[in-house]
Amino acid sequence: MSDLFWLSDAQMARLEPNFPKSHGKPRVDDRRVLSGIIFVNRNGLRWRDAPKEYGPHKTLYNRWKRWSDKGIFAAMMAGLAAAHGEKKTVMIDPTYLKAHRTASSLGVK
């Protein structure tokens, strides 16, 4: 696939200070796994639909889950946003907002 997403050297250099220290067994290639996580999230894929070039889908999911639970991805995003001078940004994706069909008529009697 030619439309795969790969992080550049400059992007990896900006993200590396947020990576946790490796304890014991070394981690698999961070660039490959993070690029795969971004690809899956950006395209709205299931983990098992990730292209094979990013490695096993279970590795992508496990890294995403472990680092999300530890707040590592949030720290990365905060660090990237701070580099651009944004003090506070709130974004809401409307695909996550659900309203019951009667929600608009709750105030009407």
Side-chain angles (χ1 to χ4, degrees), residues 8-78:
S8 69
D9 290 334
Q11 291 168 328
M12 284 300 292
R14 289 185 64 198
L15 294 175
E16 277 185 56
N18 297 302
F19 293 172
K21 302 263 189 268
S22 181
H23 300 290
K25 196 165 91 171
R27 291 192 302 263
V28 296
D29 183 23
D30 288 327
R31 179 187 312 266
R32 186 187 74 191
V33 174
L34 287 175
S35 296
I37 290 170
I38 292 169
F39 184 85
V40 167
N41 286 323
R42 187 171 72 176
N43 293 305
L45 300 175
R46 296 180 307 166
W47 292 108
R48 68 179 60 246
D49 293 335
K52 299 293 181 205
E53 289 83 357
Y54 294 125
H57 66 87
K58 192 69 173 167
T59 301
L60 300 177
Y61 172 76
N62 286 340
R63 176 83 55 94
W64 174 80
K65 178 71 173 145
R66 209 170 37 247
W67 284 16
S68 293
D69 289 347
K70 291 181 179 179
I72 293 170
F73 285 117
M76 283 183 190
M77 295 303 124

Side-chain angles (χ1 to χ4, degrees), residues 81-95:
H84 292 288
E86 290 289 329
K87 299 296 181 207
K88 186 172 182 180
T89 302
V90 176
M91 297 186 302
I92 298 175
D93 183 355
T95 59

Side-chain angles (χ1 to χ4, degrees), residues 91-104:
M91 297 186 302
I92 298 175
D93 183 355
T95 59
Y96 293 110
L97 299 177
K98 304 273 189 230
H100 193 271
R101 63 177 181 232
T102 60
S104 63

